[in-house]
Amino acid sequence: MTSTASAQPGIPLRRLGASGLAVPVVSLGLWQNFGDAGALETQRRIIVHAIEAGVVHIDLANNYGPPPGAAETVFGQVLARDLPGRRDELLISTKAGYRMWPGPYGEGGSRKYLLSSLDQSLARLGLDHVDIFYSHRYDPSTPLEETIGALATAVSSGRARYVGISSYSARRTREALDVADRLGVRLSVHQPSYSLLNRWIEDPDSSGESVLDVAAAAGLGVLAFSPLAQGMLTSKYLTGVPSESRAARGGSLPTSYLTPENRAAIAALAQIAADRGQSLAQMAVSWCLRDPIVSGVLVGARTTDQLDENLRAVERLDFTDAELAAIDECSVDGEINLWASRSSDL
Ligand SMILES: NC(=O)c1ccc[n+]([C@@H]2O[C@H](COP(=O)([O-])OP(=O)(O)OC[C@H]3O[C@@H](n4cnc5c(N)ncnc54)[C@H](OP(=O)(O)O)[C@@H]3O)[C@@H](O)[C@H]2O)c1
């Protein structure tokens, strides 16, 4: 299903791969900006505003905050206080894979870690189940049978409605699908990073298949994260580093990503966007959605204005061949894939 129905005013839905689940083409992720990052009132306003606008999918992970866990706590509070009775209108996802607590059981892909983390997430969220539970990253030190088996238990025990994987390479995705078949559990979604400056999921591996090829062949839905390259694909960094921006805060977006080559690519892309009547942020979102194999993108937002700007991308999802060719000319690999080591074959 592509763009058949609307979640609420104006946000189209797409089918998530071969699953029965419809997802909005733009969803909100709470990786940063939620937790102790700013005023609770601002966070509450962004979440409620998103949902009222039709962004019915909220993406979380155990470690989102800061500090880790805080985003789930905030979202649980907003759900209980501001959205009573509306839980089943929403698609709520969480993940486990990165470091969450000290010691050998606080990260990775083991059954012990994944299911304990999921229980902790449910407690913070105040829920008895999430809609999607992800293995947040491939763990080379745990047999895939164990990681995927834990996802199967999440479903069979009622703690998750659907399960998926995130940042797995094409090879590891193929292997995970095979294991899931053997275990009788369906993987419904892959969540990779993807943007005009980070197109790794299009690249074939040594067997000739890309992540997108593997997903398409298996009916695995794709929800792409960081479609704005953490904010680089907006006009904000063209002339400097605004004091309130993610790059200024340091952390996941080092200013070293703002190379002259990347800035030149961003400026050229901004001109193509302007010619289309879009902002660069809007074109960056629309471009990720140009092929319906990508069911939706997960954007971040620090303000409701940012979110509103990004949501207006849905007004212009079509591209001419000439526009796509012009974009290909200037969309460089910006070497900004923070998750590359997790997305490799390891
Ligand atoms: N599975 C994984 O491993 C993984 C990893 C990362 C993210 N994700 C998911 O993807 C979601 C989105 O990630 P992301 O936050 O990196 O996405 P993004 O949409 O690429 O970047 C969002 C950031 O860009 C800036 N921004 C957004 N809209 C803007 C606009 N219109 N104009 C100017 N600046 C704008 C804001 O930062 P500032 O204003 O502060 O600069 C905002 O926080 C996460 O919340 C999470 O759910 C998953």
Side-chain angles (χ1 to χ4, degrees), residues 95-328:
K95 322 181 187 78
Y98 291 99
R99 169 66 64 189
M100 193 57 199
W101 61 84
Y105 316 120
E107 68 172 333
S110 73
R111 180 176 184 80
K112 176 169 172 62
Y113 164 69
L114 290 175
L115 293 175
S116 300
S117 177
L118 178 54
D119 287 340
Q120 292 185 16
S121 290
L122 292 174
R124 283 188 292 267
L125 290 163
L127 297 175
D128 64 359
H129 72 277
V130 289
D131 297 296
I132 306 174
F133 182 53
Y134 290 92
S135 161
H136 208 161
R137 64 185 172 101
Y138 174 73
D139 175 7
S141 61
T142 302
L144 257 180
E145 281 71 12
E146 180 167 336
T147 300
I148 304 302
L151 298 183
T153 299
V155 173
S156 63
S157 63
R159 294 163 167 121
R161 297 287 191 252
Y162 300 82
V163 286
I165 54 179
S166 179
S167 295
Y168 279 46
S169 68
R171 173 159 75 111
R172 297 307 184 192
T173 300
R174 271 193 305 270
E175 291 172 2
L177 286 162
D178 284 349
V179 171
D181 264 357
R182 282 205 300 280
L183 297 180
V185 61
R186 168 141 205 104
L187 293 182
S188 298
V189 54
H190 189 310
Q191 186 181 127
S193 62
Y194 188 46
S195 74
L196 279 161
L197 294 173
N198 171 26
R199 300 176 63 165
W200 72 278
I201 59 173
E202 298 174 17
D203 299 335
D205 67 6
S206 54
S207 76
E209 278 189 317
S210 67
V211 169
L212 287 175
D213 294 333
V214 175
L220 183 66
V222 177
L223 290 175
F225 71 78
S226 298
L228 304 179
Q230 301 196 61
M232 288 175 70
L233 288 165
T234 67
S235 48
K236 70 202 301 174
Y237 296 116
L238 285 176
T239 50
V241 178
S243 59
E244 287 209 294
S245 63
R246 188 177 293 187
R249 287 195 298 279
S252 66
L253 177 50
T255 49
S256 60
Y257 283 1
L258 300 168
T259 59
E261 294 75 22
N262 284 346
R263 281 189 205 264
I266 293 164
L269 291 165
Q271 185 55 55
I272 299 172
D275 293 344
R276 277 169 50 83
Q278 287 186 306
S279 70
L280 175 55
Q282 288 161 351
M283 187 179 81
V285 166
S286 302
W287 179 86
C288 287
L289 294 165
R290 71 198 183 288
D291 182 335
I293 178 66
V294 175
S295 301
V297 296
L298 307 169
V299 299
R302 190 167 45 78
T303 66
T304 53
D305 284 350
Q306 287 181 346
L307 181 65
D308 283 340
E309 177 184 344
N310 304 340
L311 291 181
R312 284 197 299 276
V314 305
E315 293 165 8
R316 199 61 224 285
L317 293 179
D318 57 303
F319 286 84
T320 65
D321 289 344
E323 284 169 339
L324 290 175
I327 287 170
D328 282 345

